[in-house]
Amino acid sequence: MSRSPGRKQENHKISRELFVLTYGALVAQLCKDYEKDEDVNACLDRMGYSIGIRLIDDFLARSAVKKCRSYSETADMIAQVAFKMYLGVTPSVSCSSATGNEFSLILDKNPLVDFVEELPAERASLSYCNLLCGVIRGALEMVHLAAEVTFLQDRLKGDPVTEIGITFLRKPEDRKHRR
């Protein structure tokens, strides 16, 4: 039997929907397991970090990207290649510091919240998608870029967009290898 040309895209959509639903179930279970939102946020960040330190190998192998020479190139690579590859969205990037080490990824559409209408009032400080911050932080650390990654705005909390802030913590070291 032959496959229809749209079959692969349909499977990808089903896989993404399954991932989003599974992620929602995971967050719901964490909310049952932990009383404080801060504990849930920390757990999601740790889980994301573990994913990020493993996902970077897949990203580098599949994307065939070249070494970024600046923080702005790195932020653009995260937005234009990584987010597109793994979540099917391309956030816009803005630099928010004169030193060039702070960037914002602005998502008009966040696929992880496709089936979430709003956070319960008792979970107002929950960062539902905090897993993304951990993934970015873990992946950057594996390429020797220490960064602080946090949610600055969240549509689930009534903000107009979802914004992830990335602050690179130190200048890249120019390493000259001697033989």
Side-chain angles (χ1 to χ4, degrees):
M1 285 182 17
S2 64
R3 292 184 183 186
S4 61
R7 184 81 174 157
K8 185 174 182 178
Q9 186 178 29
E10 181 181 309
N11 285 340
H12 177 70
K13 183 175 180 162
I14 292 170
S15 297
R16 189 174 89 183
E17 288 177 356
L18 179 62
F19 171 70
V20 170
L21 289 170
T22 304
Y23 182 73
L26 169 72
V27 174
Q29 185 61 49
L30 290 174
C31 287
K32 289 178 184 175
D33 293 346
Y34 296 101
E35 290 180 23
K36 297 179 184 175
D37 290 344
E38 295 78 22
D39 294 338
V40 176
N41 295 341
C43 186
L44 288 170
D45 184 72
R46 282 192 312 273
M47 293 169 98
Y49 178 83
S50 294
I51 292 168
I53 62 175
R54 289 167 181 80
L55 193 64
I56 189 67
D57 289 331
D58 179 67
F59 172 75
L60 293 172
R62 289 179 50 202
S63 67
V65 296
K66 296 185 182 192
K67 183 178 179 178
C68 296
R69 302 201 186 283
S70 67
Y71 289 142
S72 63
E73 281 184 36
T74 303
D76 287 339
M77 189 67 58
I78 292 167
Q80 296 172 5
V81 182
F83 266 78
K84 182 71 173 171
M85 183 184 294
Y86 293 107
L87 293 176
V89 296
T90 305
S92 58
V93 178
S94 67
C95 182
S96 56
S97 74
T99 58
N101 70 327
E102 294 180 26
F103 296 87
S104 289
L105 303 178
I106 300 166
L107 293 130
D108 292 325
K109 181 171 177 12
N110 182 352
L112 287 182
V113 299
D114 280 351
F115 302 109
V116 180
E117 291 181 23
E118 62 183 34
L119 294 176
E122 66 273 8
R123 291 292 184 177
S125 60
L126 177 67
S127 289
Y128 182 84
C129 296
N130 212 40
L131 183 94
L132 293 176
C133 293
V135 169
I136 294 168
R137 189 172 53 85
L140 287 172
E141 191 171 299
M142 292 308 293
V143 292
H144 307 290
L145 291 172
E148 181 180 298
V149 185
T150 57
F151 270 93
L152 302 176
Q153 294 186 71
D154 192 346
R155 278 191 182 211
L156 290 178
K157 295 180 180 180
D159 295 320
V161 294
T162 298
E163 180 179 3
I164 300 172
I166 302 173
T167 303
F168 293 97
L169 300 176
R170 62 177 181 267
K171 287 287 185 187
E173 300 167 355
D174 293 335
R175 296 181 187 180
K176 293 184 180 179
H177 299 284
R178 295 182 185 188
R179 291 189 177 219

